[in-house]
Amino acid sequence: RIMRPDDANIAGNVHGGTILKMIEEAGAIISTRHCNSQAGEPCVAALARVERTDFLSPMCIGEVANVSAEITYTSRHSVEVQVNVMSENILTGAKKVTNKATLWYVPLSLKNVNKVVEVPPIQYARKEQEDEGKKRYEEQKLDRLETKQRNGDVILPVINPEPHTVGYSQSSLIHLVGPSDCTLLGFVHGGVTMKLMDEVAGIVAARHCKTNIVTASVDAINFHEKIKKGCVITISGRMTFTSNKSMEIEVFVDADPFVDEPRERYRAVSAFFTYVSLSKEGKPLPVPQLLTETEDEKRRFEEGKGRYLQTKAKRQAQMQQAAQQ
Amino acid sequence: RIMRPDDANIAGNVHGGTILKMIEEAGAIISTRHCNSQAGEPCVAALARVERTDFLSPMCIGEVANVSAEITYTSRHSVEVQVNVMSENILTGAKKVTNKATLWYVPLSLKNVNKVVEVPPIQYARKEQEDEGKKRYEEQKLDRLETKQRNGDVILPVINPEPHTVGYSQSSLIHLVGPSDCTLLGFVHGGVTMKLMDEVAGIVAARHCKTNIVTASVDAINFHEKIKKGCVITISGRMTFTSNKSMEIEVFVDADPFVDEPRERYRAVSAFFTYVSLSKEGKPLPVPQLLTETEDEKRRFEEGKGRYLQTKAKRQAQMQQAAQQ
Amino acid sequence: RIMRPDDANIAGNVHGGTILKMIEEAGAIISTRHCNSQAGEPCVAALARVERTDFLSPMCIGEVANVSAEITYTSRHSVEVQVNVMSENILTGAKKVTNKATLWYVPLSLKNVNKVVEVPPIQYARKEQEDEGKKRYEEQKLDRLETKQRNGDVILPVINPEPHTVGYSQSSLIHLVGPSDCTLLGFVHGGVTMKLMDEVAGIVAARHCKTNIVTASVDAINFHEKIKKGCVITISGRMTFTSNKSMEIEVFVDADPFVDEPRERYRAVSAFFTYVSLSKEGKPLPVPQLLTETEDEKRRFEEGKGRYLQTKAKRQAQMQQAAQQ
């Protein structure tokens, strides 16, 4: 579809969240279709995890987004989907890859939302494809367990914070979950959640560096708990790390089922977003260093630095590998 | 994309206007892409006309709409696009054709919006395709001239109207044109206009028969004049004809460029929509007869009857032809 | 237009904010049209104030909202508009008045946004109409000055609050101002701000009483400062008073022009919203009493009680007057 002014920031760059939402919609369609392809219990695929994804080049107002999706692996109870997004300037014909994302879906029964349905197996062209898929499946399963522990953390308010401290840019947003945010099962689409997370992370980044900012990448996101229609969700973001030219923001999603359920507020999702600051010409700008004050802030900064260096090393290894081929 | 609650009426049927908007977006993308495919002046395709289209089967919330578009004819200054819409129930895998539409676009220069750019010719597989396309081109050109005259009419308010009269159900809606309604040239997307027209026509139909109604077909729509960002548009609808099981509603779109231009309010578009009334089980219901009072209303009723009988005859001829093949 | 699922809460009642937004759009259109009706400087009408308005009866999904607007007074630099909203159930034909609102607009030059343009005078049917309008004009002018002082207050975060305290239900929401939120001048529509204010107030009310809540009335709202495109706005709400069957919530709007301007965060709007709690059958429910802890909270509770008693007395006087006539 054509990108509209509402999909973009003032500089005309489409929000990362808009792209994440399109990716998730494509993934949900293809995996729901696949899971219902054999005569079995009708089901709807729910997003369980998005692997780390980079925003390779910006998309602009007036460009057309082409989204393609393919199922690359199935386990007994989950589906791996690979989604590619290309931006196309229909005036010049120029096409660019803007995103490649890997998503994991779990099919939930339409009659009993707590029941996970069996996934029809796909055929692999080569045996190695299945083995590699299985490896990815095991890895993400492990990672999902790990991040579940990180999830107890809360963001406390700060009064009169200094510029460039964590408290200065931290932000939160509340959203009342409406019918159009939800799947047939009455739970929030993963893509809707990701769009709101990107919105908060973008506000944190802009508050910190007061320039035009764009999403550079999103770390793996795990969806631990479903969010029901009618909930109020609070999406909170705080900066955890800055390098010379990038900022890492941690985002939490908490759901408050305050109307008809006796349940307490719970943590539904958490993730790390990386942003860069751009000049009017679209060149990366230096980012003011984050001032850490408490022990926790210093620890999170070091952890962020670890993730940053790891990603950098991985990218360099890939580039060397590519150069050698 | 997946149909959401906001795309549909209370009974879960997707509004005809939502489908028309998707059709137009697909048409605008493919024709803008084609017109910029040769190194020439950058341009944006503007909708000039939509041929009569039938809504063959209803689409429901939760279904996926698959839209495909193809260029079927090019004249020197216009492009004919054929768009097909299929609804897909991703739970059952059932697919149905919901719409086939033919649209005409005119490429306008990005630098000078009043300049029509030349269209690169397409290749035809067979000579007959070109000839048939040319015939369609001539026919629509003639029809566009004719409808331009009809356009002077206005809808006057009626005080305390009787049920089932024209005045009883006539309705109008105003809309302030925002940035997301517009193309890169700053003019309203044809699809946005059609969606609003369907909304008004639907209110007229529901007021008349007080049941669940759905769009059955749309007569050819001609876009005589562009509508600029910042305009206020008034969309008015009145019932013109009822058969036993259908209602015909005439819809006018008037633009009021009230801020920065000295121009008068002008008629931008007009069209006929046909609606049917459905029971809770989705069966067609009888429609109360329209009570005509004035001479003009009686004349319009007869004209509507003429269109109705003509369409009916055409459809029967097609069915006989299909049966004979 | 027809009310959609996203316009309403889970119980199907249309949000007060959706109605306020429609009212403001109608007011902006009629006053902009009027101010441009004589050959003068092109201008856009900006909302300066909304008088106190009551929500007389709820509107539901599927109903049609009929909005009518009329200019009732003009001063040299401002326009008073009276807007009426009726809900129409198009299936039964039943119509109800849901709102009557009075709005004040100021025309700003399209070329120089800081310049207020002169308003063409309207003709009054009787001299008394002009005199009464002038009286209303003077009264609102006085009130606008007064509320400007109240505006310094801030909402401080509370950690681990007890149920039914002020801190327990207070909420805030951030919103990045996008192009569709803005007028041709690039400033936020008053109606967009009011919709967000109602959203926050509704969340505060729902958090307090954990039932289905609806907007009962909105106190006069003054728009002290414009909010520019690209700002981040923070809308915060806290409960100030509860009677047996109603809750009063104070809402603040702060704008943070953080991208291209060196300006500090400023208070743009503030207002009081009154909510009632409804049972599933639509009957008013008792509201848990607000627990006030600090001196400020106790003072605000008393002030709220004053407003509540004043409104009650005024309403009783009107009813007696009506009974005597």
Side-chain angles (χ1 to χ4, degrees):
Chain A
R1 70 177 186 82
I2 304 180
M3 295 294 111
R4 291 182 294 248
D6 273 10
D7 298 320
N9 63 21
I10 320 179
N13 299 121
V14 172
H15 294 297
T18 302
I19 299 173
L20 289 170
K21 197 171 169 223
M22 288 189 296
I23 288 174
E24 201 274 322
E25 186 162 354
I29 291 173
I30 196 173
S31 50
T32 301
R33 186 190 283 151
H34 176 75
C35 294
N36 287 286
S37 62
Q38 291 187 356
E41 219 169 320
C43 60
V44 173
L47 182 64
R49 176 179 164 94
V50 182
E51 298 292 346
R52 182 193 158 75
T53 175
D54 291 299
F55 290 79
L56 305 168
S57 65
M59 198 181 287
C60 297
I61 297 174
E63 290 185 342
V64 173
N66 292 296
V67 182
S68 59
E70 187 195 2
I71 294 179
T72 43
Y73 181 75
T74 51
S75 75
R76 203 176 155 202
H77 288 304
S78 66
V79 180
E80 187 198 51
V81 183
Q82 176 78 35
V83 182
N84 295 323
V85 184
M86 304 251 294
S87 70
E88 178 190 0
N89 183 324
I90 47 176
L91 303 187
T92 65
K95 286 185 188 186
K96 279 186 207 167
V97 174
T98 53
N99 269 89
K100 292 183 179 193
T102 306
L103 301 95
W104 294 89
Y105 286 87
V106 170
L108 303 178
S109 163
L110 200 58
K111 282 167 209 155
N112 172 5
V113 77
N114 295 313
K115 184 180 166 193
V116 179
V117 170
E118 285 206 17
V119 174
I122 59 164
Q123 301 299 323
Y124 302 92
R126 287 171 301 118
K127 180 72 175 72
E128 298 92 72
Q129 289 179 348
E130 185 170 1
D131 295 343
E132 284 162 21
K134 188 158 193 179
K135 208 178 132 200
R136 291 193 302 271
Y137 170 71
E138 299 294 349
E139 278 173 6
Q140 63 89 21
K141 209 170 163 180
L142 206 67
D143 187 76
R144 291 181 63 182
L145 279 175
E146 271 174 25
T147 52
K148 221 166 178 169
Q149 294 163 344
R150 193 177 70 198
N151 261 342
D153 216 351
V154 287
I155 293 187
L156 293 177
V158 176
I159 293 153
N160 289 327
E162 290 294 307
H164 303 139
T165 59
V166 175
Y168 182 74
S169 58
Q170 74 182 23
S171 303
S172 78
L173 185 157
I174 49 177
H175 176 74
L176 183 60
V177 175
S180 285
D181 299 329
C182 292
T183 65
L184 278 183
L185 290 169
F187 294 103
V188 179
H189 281 292
V192 170
T193 313
M194 289 195 286
K195 188 164 187 284
L196 290 166
M197 292 171 85
D198 178 67
E199 198 174 327
V200 168
I203 290 173
V204 173
R207 278 184 166 157
H208 181 76
C209 63
K210 298 188 185 303
T211 53
N212 179 34
I213 49 85
V214 294
T215 317
S217 68
V218 185
D219 215 60
I221 310 182
N222 295 308
F223 292 80
H224 299 297
E225 295 239 24
K226 296 185 288 285
I227 303 169
K228 211 176 162 181
K229 186 158 70 182
C231 278
V232 170
I233 51 178
T234 305
I235 304 105
S236 321
R238 68 175 164 210
M239 198 163 286
T240 43
F241 168 74
T242 50
S243 72
N244 288 340
K245 298 209 171 157
S246 73
M247 298 160 270
E248 188 196 60
I249 293 119
E250 186 171 20
V251 183
F252 300 110
V253 181
D254 294 308
D256 216 343
F258 68 114
V259 173
D260 52 352
E261 277 180 277
R263 210 184 150 181
E264 286 290 292
R265 174 194 265 236
Y266 60 91
R267 175 71 35 96
V269 199
S270 66
F272 292 100
F273 283 71
T274 301
Y275 277 75
V276 291
S277 164
L278 293 185
S279 71
K280 278 179 188 163
E281 295 75 35
K283 297 278 167 212
L285 291 175
V287 166
Q289 208 193 326
L290 181 68
L291 301 180
T292 52
E293 295 171 313
T294 69
E295 282 311 304
D296 277 347
E297 287 174 11
K298 288 183 208 304
R299 179 182 49 75
R300 285 197 298 265
F301 192 93
E302 289 307 315
E303 289 169 4
K305 196 173 187 173
R307 282 185 293 270
Y308 170 75
L309 293 173
Q310 213 181 342
T311 306
K312 208 172 164 180
K314 220 181 257 176
R315 200 176 298 157
Q316 282 173 345
Q318 281 172 349
M319 282 171 74
Q320 280 185 352
Q321 217 178 350
Q324 284 167 1
Q325 280 172 354
Chain B
R1 68 178 186 82
I2 303 178
M3 293 296 110
R4 293 183 292 249
D6 268 15
D7 298 322
N9 62 19
I10 320 180
N13 299 121
V14 172
H15 295 296
T18 302
I19 298 173
L20 289 171
K21 197 172 170 223
M22 287 189 298
I23 287 174
E24 201 274 324
E25 183 161 356
I29 290 173
I30 196 172
S31 51
T32 301
R33 187 191 281 150
H34 176 75
C35 294
N36 287 286
S37 62
Q38 289 187 358
E41 218 170 320
C43 60
V44 174
L47 182 65
R49 177 180 164 93
V50 182
E51 297 293 347
R52 183 191 158 77
T53 174
D54 291 299
F55 290 80
L56 306 168
S57 67
M59 198 181 288
C60 297
I61 297 174
E63 290 186 343
V64 172
N66 291 296
V67 182
S68 59
E70 188 195 0
I71 293 179
T72 42
Y73 181 75
T74 51
S75 75
R76 203 175 155 202
H77 288 303
S78 66
V79 180
E80 186 198 49
V81 183
Q82 177 76 36
V83 182
N84 294 323
V85 184
M86 305 251 293
S87 71
E88 179 190 358
N89 183 325
I90 47 175
L91 303 186
T92 65
K95 286 186 189 183
K96 279 188 208 163
V97 173
T98 53
N99 268 91
K100 291 184 180 191
T102 306
L103 301 93
W104 293 89
Y105 287 87
V106 170
L108 303 177
S109 163
L110 200 57
K111 283 168 208 152
N112 173 5
V113 78
N114 295 313
K115 183 179 166 193
V116 178
V117 171
E118 285 207 18
V119 174
I122 58 164
Q123 302 297 323
Y124 301 92
R126 288 171 301 117
K127 179 74 175 68
E128 298 91 77
Q129 289 180 345
E130 186 170 0
D131 295 343
E132 285 161 21
K134 186 156 195 181
K135 208 177 131 203
R136 291 193 301 271
Y137 169 72
E138 299 295 349
E139 278 173 5
Q140 62 90 23
K141 209 170 164 180
L142 205 67
D143 187 76
R144 291 180 64 184
L145 279 174
E146 272 173 26
T147 52
K148 222 166 181 171
Q149 294 162 345
R150 191 177 69 200
N151 263 342
D153 218 351
V154 288
I155 293 185
L156 293 176
V158 175
I159 293 153
N160 289 327
E162 290 295 308
H164 305 139
T165 59
V166 175
Y168 183 73
S169 59
Q170 73 181 24
S171 304
S172 75
L173 186 155
I174 50 175
H175 176 74
L176 183 61
V177 174
S180 284
D181 299 328
C182 293
T183 65
L184 279 182
L185 290 169
F187 294 102
V188 178
H189 281 292
V192 170
T193 313
M194 289 194 286
K195 189 164 187 285
L196 290 165
M197 292 170 85
D198 178 68
E199 197 173 330
V200 168
I203 292 174
V204 173
R207 277 183 167 156
H208 181 77
C209 63
K210 302 192 184 303
T211 53
N212 178 35
I213 48 86
V214 294
T215 318
S217 67
V218 185
D219 215 60
I221 309 181
N222 296 308
F223 292 79
H224 300 295
E225 295 238 26
K226 296 186 288 284
I227 304 169
K228 210 177 163 182
K229 184 157 72 182
C231 278
V232 168
I233 52 179
T234 305
I235 304 106
S236 321
R238 68 173 164 213
M239 197 162 289
T240 44
F241 167 75
T242 50
S243 73
N244 287 341
K245 297 210 172 157
S246 72
M247 299 159 270
E248 188 197 60
I249 294 119
E250 184 171 23
V251 183
F252 300 110
V253 181
D254 293 308
D256 211 345
F258 67 122
V259 173
D260 53 352
E261 277 180 274
R263 211 184 148 180
E264 286 290 294
R265 176 195 263 236
Y266 60 92
R267 176 71 35 96
V269 199
S270 66
F272 292 101
F273 284 71
T274 300
Y275 277 74
V276 291
S277 164
L278 293 184
S279 71
K280 277 179 187 159
E281 296 74 35
K283 297 279 166 214
L285 291 174
V287 165
Q289 208 193 325
L290 181 68
L291 302 179
T292 52
E293 296 171 312
T294 69
E295 283 310 305
D296 278 346
E297 287 173 11
K298 289 184 209 301
R299 180 182 47 75
R300 284 197 296 265
F301 191 93
E302 289 307 315
E303 289 169 4
K305 196 172 187 173
R307 283 185 292 270
Y308 170 76
L309 294 173
Q310 209 181 344
T311 306
K312 209 173 164 181
K314 221 182 255 175
R315 202 176 296 156
Q316 282 173 344
Q318 282 171 349
M319 283 170 75
Q320 281 186 351
Q321 213 178 353
Q324 284 167 1
Q325 280 171 353
Chain C
R1 69 177 186 82
I2 304 181
M3 295 294 109
R4 292 184 291 248
D6 274 11
D7 296 323
N9 63 19
I10 319 181
N13 299 121
V14 171
H15 296 297
T18 301
I19 298 172
L20 290 171
K21 197 173 170 223
M22 287 188 298
I23 287 174
E24 201 275 321
E25 185 163 349
I29 289 173
I30 195 173
S31 50
T32 300
R33 189 187 282 151
H34 176 74
C35 295
N36 287 286
S37 62
Q38 290 187 355
E41 218 170 320
C43 60
V44 174
L47 182 65
R49 176 178 164 94
V50 182
E51 298 293 346
R52 183 192 158 77
T53 174
D54 290 299
F55 290 80
L56 306 168
S57 66
M59 198 181 288
C60 297
I61 298 175
E63 290 186 342
V64 173
N66 291 296
V67 182
S68 60
E70 188 195 0
I71 293 180
T72 43
Y73 181 75
T74 51
S75 76
R76 202 174 156 205
H77 287 304
S78 65
V79 180
E80 186 198 49
V81 183
Q82 177 77 34
V83 183
N84 294 324
V85 185
M86 304 250 294
S87 70
E88 177 189 359
N89 183 325
I90 44 178
L91 302 186
T92 65
K95 287 186 188 186
K96 279 186 208 164
V97 173
T98 53
N99 269 89
K100 292 184 180 192
T102 306
L103 301 94
W104 293 89
Y105 287 86
V106 170
L108 303 177
S109 162
L110 200 58
K111 282 168 208 152
N112 173 5
V113 78
N114 294 314
K115 182 177 165 195
V116 179
V117 170
E118 284 206 16
V119 174
I122 60 165
Q123 301 298 323
Y124 301 92
R126 288 172 298 118
K127 179 76 175 69
E128 298 90 75
Q129 289 180 347
E130 185 169 2
D131 295 343
E132 285 161 20
K134 186 157 194 177
K135 208 179 131 203
R136 291 193 302 272
Y137 170 72
E138 299 294 347
E139 278 173 6
Q140 63 91 21
K141 208 170 164 181
L142 205 69
D143 187 76
R144 291 181 64 184
L145 279 175
E146 271 173 26
T147 52
K148 218 165 183 172
Q149 294 162 346
R150 190 176 72 199
N151 262 342
D153 218 352
V154 288
I155 293 187
L156 293 178
V158 175
I159 292 153
N160 289 327
E162 290 294 308
H164 304 140
T165 59
V166 175
Y168 183 74
S169 58
Q170 72 181 26
S171 303
S172 77
L173 185 157
I174 49 176
H175 176 74
L176 182 60
V177 174
S180 285
D181 300 328
C182 294
T183 65
L184 279 182
L185 290 170
F187 294 103
V188 178
H189 282 293
V192 169
T193 312
M194 288 194 287
K195 188 165 189 284
L196 289 166
M197 292 170 87
D198 178 68
E199 197 175 327
V200 167
I203 290 173
V204 172
R207 278 186 166 156
H208 181 78
C209 64
K210 298 190 185 303
T211 53
N212 179 34
I213 50 84
V214 294
T215 317
S217 68
V218 186
D219 216 60
I221 310 181
N222 295 308
F223 292 81
H224 300 295
E225 295 235 27
K226 297 185 289 284
I227 303 169
K228 211 176 160 179
K229 184 157 72 182
C231 279
V232 169
I233 52 179
T234 305
I235 303 106
S236 319
R238 69 175 163 210
M239 197 162 286
T240 43
F241 167 75
T242 51
S243 72
N244 287 340
K245 297 211 172 155
S246 73
M247 299 161 270
E248 188 198 60
I249 294 120
E250 185 171 20
V251 183
F252 300 110
V253 181
D254 294 307
D256 215 343
F258 67 111
V259 172
D260 51 354
E261 276 180 276
R263 207 182 150 183
E264 284 292 292
R265 174 194 266 235
Y266 61 93
R267 174 71 35 93
V269 198
S270 66
F272 292 100
F273 283 71
T274 300
Y275 277 75
V276 291
S277 165
L278 294 183
S279 71
K280 277 178 189 163
E281 296 74 34
K283 297 278 166 214
L285 291 175
V287 164
Q289 207 194 325
L290 181 67
L291 301 179
T292 51
E293 296 171 311
T294 68
E295 282 311 304
D296 277 347
E297 288 174 12
K298 287 182 209 305
R299 179 181 49 75
R300 284 196 296 265
F301 191 92
E302 289 307 315
E303 289 169 3
K305 196 173 187 172
R307 282 184 292 270
Y308 169 74
L309 293 173
Q310 210 181 341
T311 306
K312 208 173 165 179
K314 219 181 260 176
R315 201 176 297 157
Q316 282 173 343
Q318 281 171 349
M319 282 170 73
Q320 280 185 351
Q321 214 178 352
Q324 284 166 359
Q325 281 171 352

